[in-house]
Amino acid sequence: MSRWKPGKLGWTVITFAALAALLGGTFVYGVRNHGLAMLDWADRTLGGTEGMRQVVDGQPYGPLPAQRLDVFVPDTPGPHPLLVWVPGGGWHSGTAGEYHFIGRNFARMGYVTVLAGYRLVPDGIYPRMLEDSAAAVRFALGHADDWGADPQRLFLMGQSAGAYNVVMLGLERQWLGRAGVPEGAVKGVIGLSGPYDFHPFTSDSARAAFGHAPDPALTQPINHVRADAPPMLLLTGDRDTTVKPRNSLALAKALTEVGRPTQAVVIAGLNHEDTVKLLAHPFNRDRRELNAVLAFLAQHGAPPSAAVKDGRD
């Protein structure tokens, strides 16, 4: 039996295939090991910057260095729904500037998107992360008209530690109230892979941020459930070992039991980092998370753009 021998064309195909595999592997490795910077670069390179623009870069909303925000807006005429994104990072890392892919993609889909940083450990211990996030929301509402946003369609969204922040703002009235945000201003809260029932504190990050609290129970979102809380989407992955899906399931159950029906969305195959990764190009080709988020926003008064309705990026 004769053996196949690649000719010049065959070797060219093999070379290009090997190069593509190498580059693809390098790209995936970079995203996994260099985190948000690589993810943002990939999104900007592959997704582009058309359809939106950044109008605010490092705007102070308070006197402290961490109290800064960035804003991305759609190119289309407003007013658009207002989406405030709060970064994750275990309350010890995570800045607005690392999440520009969130701003680009949601602005392109028709949302004025505010990326709101906050004080981090050791300065940002409980409840300072909540005070800062509430102050950023108040600033965003006060400048909504400047950015072409509709202050009557305000939504909060965060991942991991950021999910904790936004869910606590939605559940415990005092933080937004102290900041001067009117009662009922938040029309919905989206928490991705969030810790909502994590006492006793077993991780270094939780102990550093909350270990000093005189009454740890008060730091837990699950202990602040109320029937008149804003609607919540609690989304997580079934392979999350950093913040276990139990957090979302327990909070959804507790909210439902007090009269605010809530269902946790657990997506098969996703780990903790995936719930951020799937919001950036090219990973957002897996539409399971994005479709759930957009459906929630549309259900509560913030419809997506026509392009998203048609299933296009």
Side-chain angles (χ1 to χ4, degrees), residues 92-165:
H92 58 76
S93 64
T95 65
E98 294 175 305
Y99 287 87
H100 281 189
F101 59 93
I102 297 289
R104 283 192 296 269
N105 284 302
F106 278 94
R108 187 181 291 116
M109 292 185 291
Y111 303 92
V112 171
T113 308
V114 178
L115 313 175
Y118 54 93
R119 281 173 288 179
L120 302 170
V121 170
D123 295 329
I125 58 175
Y126 173 86
R128 293 173 183 168
M129 73 281 279
L130 302 178
E131 294 169 342
D132 287 2
S133 295
V137 172
R138 178 67 186 91
F139 187 94
L141 277 177
H143 291 79
D145 290 343
D146 300 338
W147 307 326
D150 180 359
Q152 300 302 314
R153 292 186 289 165
L154 167 66
F155 294 82
L156 310 182
M157 182 176 179
Q159 193 263 355
S160 193
Y164 168 87
N165 289 17

Side-chain angles (χ1 to χ4, degrees), residues 24-43:
T26 301
F27 171 73
V28 172
Y29 175 87
V31 169
R32 288 177 177 172
N33 294 277
H34 299 281
L36 295 171
M38 186 70 177
L39 189 61
D40 188 61
W41 172 85
D43 180 84

Side-chain angles (χ1 to χ4, degrees), residues 32 36 39 85-93 99 101 118 158-164 191-196 198 203 205 235-248 266-279 289:
R32 288 177 177 172
L36 295 171
L39 189 61
W85 167 270
V86 179
W91 303 285
H92 58 76
S93 64
Y99 287 87
F101 59 93
Y118 54 93
Q159 193 263 355
S160 193
Y164 168 87
L192 309 176
S193 304
Y196 313 122
F198 57 100
S203 69
S205 58
L235 188 150
T236 188
D238 69 347
R239 295 187 181 179
D240 192 337
T241 58
T242 303
V243 177
K244 292 182 172 58
R246 179 192 63 79
N247 284 266
S248 296
V266 182
I267 301 181
L270 298 193
N271 63 26
H272 191 67
E273 292 75 20
D274 287 339
T275 52
V276 164
K277 189 173 72 174
L278 291 191
L279 299 178
E289 177 183 6

Side-chain angles (χ1 to χ4, degrees), residues 14 45 103 114 163 266 285:
I14 292 171
T45 301
V114 178
V266 182
R285 292 175 182 172

